Amino acid sequence: MTIEKIKTGICIVGAGPSGSTLSLLLAKKGIDHLIVDAAEFPRDKICGDGIDLNVVRVLNQIDVNIALNEFTNTTNFTPSQGMRFILPYGKYVVLRRKEKDRLNGSALKPIFYLSKRKYFDNLLVEKLDPNFADVRLGTKIEKIEKTGERWILYGTNAKGKVEIETRLLIGADGDHSVVLRHVGERKIDRRNYAAAVRQYWKGINGLHDDNLIEIYFPRKQPLSYFWIFPLPGGEANVGYGMASSYVAKKNIDVRKVFEELIKTDPYLAERFKNAQPAETIKGWGLPMSGSQRKAHGNGWMLVGDAASLICPTSGEGIGSGMISAYIAAQFIERAVKQNCFEERMFKNYDREIHKRMTFEEKVFRIINYIPGWLFTMSVNSVLSNRILQKFISKKMDGWIDTAYKKTISVKMN
């Protein structure tokens, strides 16, 4: 069997949002690179399917037309103007933008977009620039070795074996990163990890006309939340997540709790009475920011879930992963200009990818140590506070303004 041998200065392993974003940004800087992924696209990816303003902000650094035009002119994306919280005792709290929030008659920009990951991820992959990116989908990396200052990646695809030689190795291949296993230790830190399940449903009663994403905090299951995210075509992404420390402590079967909530919970059962599941339940783990996993070294970097960057309070990881790719691109550009990929070139990268989630990390640490009853009471009290509700509603315009008008600040030194 023949072996295809490829030499490249930079190799990105993983073409999900973080890897594709990094590729697109490197291409804009005129930097040649290789990007590989074990899957062919489009492909399913277990996720909540929420696209927040962090995603929009990064996309606007690539092409302002993606969010402004492509998201709004396709049936695969649904705009959402806010959130609806179902509190532990059944009360609804709605936080959303309204028609009065339009500025100068302009279109009302949404706070979220909702789309199945197979569509969103594929949209980014289709934009990869062949002038600078050598794209190898359906190529699974199975082994990585370090030889001097170069990495050798051994993989397979439909045509046979592939051998890649590179100076800079980028791990963008998720929580089960093959790159991470070779440059560091993939150890689950239950204090900064969560377990979650997802299932697509059709025909759920009572979805909001503005496609509000819904979050429910079950009273009998603290340190967890249930979500309903409306999707195009009458479907919804329904899921449930719980802090892994609590799962381990109480020996909880998250999948079983999810099924019981849908069938028996007084605030959910009626809404699912006439609904039908569109798939079997799928589970996955969420590596939260806070573990301080080292994300760079001599000739290597990690972005997205491989770097453990999911927001610990919301469970959102697409935006934080794409921001890490944006930051990585700045450090890589400097390294390329100086023709040096030593660890010192990426100093402060870890600081930059974590600094935006310092508050969320602190909150999650507190949540892990408080009693379950106190968590439930705190959630109910905080979200019921009308002053806080008004404050958040007013802040939405600022979030929109930041996403569409402000670049992302990166301090290299």
Side-chain angles (χ1 to χ4, degrees), residues 97-103 108 397:
R97 304 188 79 210
K98 301 176 182 179
E99 288 299 310
K100 68 179 181 63
D101 296 321
R102 291 182 186 272
L103 298 176
L108 190 64
D397 280 341

Side-chain angles (χ1 to χ4, degrees), residues 83-298:
M83 301 157 279
R84 179 163 68 173
F85 294 96
I86 311 171
L87 302 187
Y89 300 97
K91 179 182 177 181
Y92 283 91
V93 173
V94 174
L95 301 174
R96 66 184 173 113
R97 304 188 79 210
K98 301 176 182 179
E99 288 299 310
K100 68 179 181 63
D101 296 321
R102 291 182 186 272
L103 298 176
N104 301 320
S106 61
L108 190 64
K109 295 184 178 71
I111 292 294
F112 303 100
Y113 286 97
L114 301 160
S115 174
K116 289 185 177 181
R117 282 287 299 276
K118 68 178 181 180
Y119 299 124
F120 175 67
D121 292 11
N122 191 58
L123 179 147
L124 295 180
V125 166
E126 288 185 336
K127 292 184 179 298
L128 297 178
D129 188 346
N131 295 308
F132 299 99
D134 183 357
V135 183
R136 303 298 182 103
L137 303 179
T139 300
K140 183 179 181 180
I141 302 303
E142 299 166 331
K143 180 182 177 182
I144 301 175
E145 293 179 347
K146 187 78 179 290
T147 303
E149 295 301 314
R150 294 184 177 274
W151 299 93
I152 308 297
L153 288 68
Y154 302 92
T156 58
N157 58 26
K159 296 180 180 179
K161 294 186 177 181
V162 177
E163 189 175 299
I164 302 167
E165 180 181 320
T166 187
R167 293 182 64 194
L168 179 61
L169 177 61
I170 309 294
D173 48 341
D175 183 34
H176 296 275
S177 170
V178 64
V179 175
L180 175 61
R181 292 202 300 269
H182 286 81
V183 301
E185 180 182 5
R186 184 192 177 270
K187 183 178 180 180
I188 294 179
D189 178 2
R190 292 194 181 278
R191 297 168 301 175
N192 296 284
Y193 208 81
V197 293
R198 178 210 78 185
Q199 189 174 36
Y200 290 126
W201 282 74
K202 293 183 178 181
I204 299 173
N205 294 327
L207 295 178
H208 198 279
D209 290 341
D210 282 339
N211 300 315
L212 303 187
I213 67 171
E214 298 189 66
I215 304 293
Y216 174 46
F217 299 96
R219 183 167 59 88
K220 294 182 179 180
Q221 296 294 346
L223 303 180
S224 69
Y225 71 84
F226 185 102
W227 71 81
I228 303 172
F229 289 3
L231 292 166
E235 281 192 277
N237 180 315
V238 180
Y240 181 64
M242 180 179 288
S244 288
S245 57
Y246 194 75
V247 171
K249 181 180 179 181
K250 299 293 185 178
N251 193 28
I252 293 173
D253 185 332
V254 176
R255 185 185 301 257
K256 183 177 180 180
V257 173
F258 173 71
E259 292 178 309
E260 290 178 350
L261 284 170
I262 289 175
K263 293 177 182 177
T264 65
D265 186 273
Y267 309 113
L268 295 176
E270 181 64 25
R271 297 188 61 187
F272 282 84
K273 182 174 62 176
N274 300 313
Q276 295 294 325
E279 64 168 353
T280 59
I281 299 172
K282 294 179 171 60
W284 81 106
L286 302 173
M288 305 291 191
S289 178
S291 65
Q292 299 304 313
R293 173 181 290 171
K294 188 177 180 183
H296 77 280
N298 191 23

